[in-house]
């Protein structure tokens, strides 16, 4: 517990006390189990203590999806616990055997009241996510088609690095980027020849997003 993001800095005595006084559940999920699905109510904090999850995000019109890996330890969308829209916006599925820690919302409030370190860790986690999203609209607009393709993927991801899989038709990607389909196809094949991506039918696999990002893109 002491190694998990929201409990960093807490003493062993603090952990023993909170485990005794609050409902903190541990669950072990096998591979390919849905932990939470998009649009489900967020009634508490879900922490991935071990294992890896696939994160699947679908566009509002259901025309394309982005898949990425959520490593452990990590907290699943803590910004969704409170606020105007307390529902998950992404689907999380186990990629391997994973241990999940669940804290109900009322216990999140109680822990925040009783343990300053927990409250600070939670605020830091949420603030980091909000600050990253707030910066996005102000980033330099890419001058190249490649930059726009990478930015399309980057702005739709939960994590700014690692492997990403975009399931989208070429014609729809061209529409999203307001560029000719032929130009999109040529640029994607150029990126594939450089080892940055792998192309499959209606699927783009970005091997390492951080390597595909151009300066200022």
């Amino acid at each position: 517990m002491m190694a998990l993001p929201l409990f960093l800095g807490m003493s062993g005595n603090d952990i023993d006390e909170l485990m005794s006084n609050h409902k903190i559940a541990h669950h072990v999920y096998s591979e390919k189990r849905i932990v939470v699905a998009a649009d489900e109510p967020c009634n508490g904090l879900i922490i991935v203590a071990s294992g890896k999850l696939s994160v699947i995000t679908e566009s509002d019109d259901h025309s394309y999806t982005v898949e990425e890996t959520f490593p452990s330890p990590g907290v699943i969308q803590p910004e969704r616990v409170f606020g105007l829209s307390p529902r998950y916006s992404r689907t999380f599925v186990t990629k391997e055997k994973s241990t999940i820690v669940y804290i109900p919302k009322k216990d999140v409030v109680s822990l925040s009241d009783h343990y300053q370190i927990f409250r600070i860790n939670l605020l830091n986690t949420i603030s980091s996510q909000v600050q990253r999203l707030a910066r996005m609209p102000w980033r330099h607009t890419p001058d190249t088609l490649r930059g726009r393709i990478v930015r399309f993927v980057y702005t739709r991801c939960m994590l700014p690095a690692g492997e990403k899989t975009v399931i989208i038709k070429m014609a729809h990607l061209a529409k999203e980027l307001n560029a000719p389909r032929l130009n999109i196809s040529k640029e994607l094949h150029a990126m594939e020849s450089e080892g940055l991506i792998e192309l499959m039918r209606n699927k783009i696999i970005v091997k390492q997003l951080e390597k595909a990002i151009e300066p200022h893109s």
Side-chain angles (χ1 to χ4, degrees):
M1 288 286 289
M2 294 170 65
L4 298 180
L6 298 181
F7 302 101
L8 290 175
M10 297 184 73
S11 68
N13 289 336
D14 287 338
I15 297 296
D16 291 339
E17 181 182 88
L18 70 86
M19 290 294 290
S20 299
N21 298 326
H22 298 85
K23 293 182 179 179
I24 299 179
H26 292 72
H27 303 283
V28 177
Y29 286 71
S30 58
E31 184 182 0
K32 295 182 180 179
R33 284 277 308 278
I34 295 176
V35 178
V36 292
D39 207 38
E40 280 187 6
C42 181
N43 298 317
L45 282 173
I46 296 178
I47 304 171
V48 184
S50 66
K52 293 180 181 179
L53 276 60
S54 289
V55 186
I56 304 166
T57 310
E58 188 174 27
S59 63
D60 286 347
D61 62 359
H62 310 293
S63 60
Y64 63 90
T65 61
V66 177
E67 297 181 13
E68 54 189 318
T69 298
F70 186 84
S72 61
V75 187
I76 293 178
Q77 295 198 286
E79 72 280 3
R80 294 282 169 167
V81 178
F82 304 102
L84 295 175
S85 181
R87 291 179 178 274
Y88 294 101
S89 62
R90 306 170 193 262
T91 297
F92 294 78
V93 183
T94 55
K95 296 185 71 172
E96 59 188 31
K97 184 178 179 181
S98 303
T99 302
I100 305 298
V101 176
Y102 178 73
I103 308 174
K105 185 180 295 188
K106 65 181 182 62
D107 287 279
V108 174
V109 175
S110 180
L111 287 170
S112 296
D113 285 340
H114 288 89
Y115 301 98
Q116 184 181 35
I117 294 177
F118 180 88
R119 182 168 65 251
I120 291 172
N121 288 338
L122 178 59
L123 288 173
N124 281 337
T125 301
I126 296 174
S127 295
S128 296
Q129 175 72 359
V130 171
Q131 289 167 13
R132 175 177 174 265
L133 293 175
R135 286 198 305 267
M136 282 189 181
W138 301 99
R139 293 175 65 91
H140 173 75
T141 301
D143 299 319
T144 65
L145 180 56
R146 176 174 300 193
R148 288 160 57 197
I149 292 171
V150 174
R151 184 182 176 92
F152 175 85
V153 179
Y154 175 84
T155 56
R156 286 158 178 78
C157 289
M158 187 173 189
L159 302 171
E163 182 175 293
K164 316 292 178 183
T165 299
V166 184
I167 302 173
I168 188 171
K169 293 181 179 180
M170 193 80 69
H172 191 81
L173 180 59
K175 182 180 178 181
E176 288 283 340
L177 297 177
N178 193 28
R181 183 184 182 282
L182 181 60
N183 292 3
I184 296 287
S185 179
K186 286 181 178 178
E187 191 58 52
L188 289 175
H189 280 92
M191 293 174 71
E192 184 177 39
S193 68
E194 296 172 24
L196 296 173
I197 66 172
E198 180 181 351
L199 295 176
M200 301 175 68
R201 182 175 177 82
N202 297 331
K203 184 180 292 187
I204 304 167
I205 301 174
V206 182
K207 297 181 178 179
Q208 289 179 282
L209 182 60
E210 65 273 26
K211 290 188 175 181
I213 296 175
E214 294 180 339
H216 310 299
S217 66

